[in-house]
């Protein structure tokens, strides 16, 4: 992915504006995409489902749980069939995860 495509995802698709705490949100997105990918690779086993539930429910708030899924879905980083909680990465999500895995958050946000 190009720098321009990364910035498009961060500022347009994910809706970052540069204020607040984008590092924390991008760290959450990075870990969420990683766990969603691992779940698919593991054959959707119970451990991978538990890891996702734990990550998404870390705020102990049902509202946050569903907003996080909708946020990733709306950004077209994931897609789903009958339920958003059973999502998988899109090609765009795979590419973005690969970029996040190879660049630091501070480096990405300074671009």
């Amino acid at each position: 992915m190009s720098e321009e495509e990364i910035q498009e995802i961060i500022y347009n698709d994910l809706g970052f504006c540069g204020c607040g705490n984008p590092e924390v949100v991008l760290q959450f997105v990075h870990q969420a995409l990683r766990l969603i990918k691992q779940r698919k690779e593991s054959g959707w086993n119970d451990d991978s489902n538990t890891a996702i539930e734990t990550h998404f429910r870390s705020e102990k708030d049902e509202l946050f749980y569903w907003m996080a899924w909708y946020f990733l879905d709306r950004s077209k980083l994931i897609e789903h069939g009958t339920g958003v909680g059973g999502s998988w990465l899109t090609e765009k999500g795979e590419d973005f995860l690969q970029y996040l895995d190879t660049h630091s958050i501070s480096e990405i946000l300074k671009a």
Side-chain angles (χ1 to χ4, degrees), residues 11-88:
Y11 293 101
N12 292 332
D13 298 340
L14 294 173
F16 285 28
C17 65
C19 69
N21 196 343
E23 292 86 3
V24 170
V25 178
L26 196 53
Q27 287 171 358
F28 173 87
V29 170
H30 185 193
Q31 183 65 6
L33 295 177
R34 183 180 292 133
L35 290 169
I36 291 167
K37 180 177 182 170
Q38 289 171 352
R39 175 175 62 184
K40 183 178 179 187
E41 291 172 347
S42 72
W44 303 73
N45 68 33
D46 289 342
D47 288 342
S48 64
N49 284 324
T50 300
I52 289 173
E53 288 287 319
T54 300
H55 181 64
F56 274 65
R57 293 188 188 274
S58 62
E59 298 294 312
K60 297 182 178 89
D61 184 345
E62 190 74 8
L63 175 64
F64 176 79
Y65 175 80
W66 292 108
M67 284 177 57
W69 281 112
Y70 300 148
F71 171 70
L72 294 174
D73 186 58
R74 183 194 175 285
S75 299
K76 302 197 180 346
L77 297 173
I78 62 172
E79 60 187 358
H80 66 283
T82 56
V84 72
S87 296
W88 53 89

Side-chain angles (χ1 to χ4, degrees), residues 89-101:
L89 298 185
T90 60
E91 184 177 338
K92 180 179 177 178
E94 291 275 358
D95 291 345
F96 190 52
L97 174 59
Q98 183 178 7
Y99 192 90
L100 291 171
D101 283 342

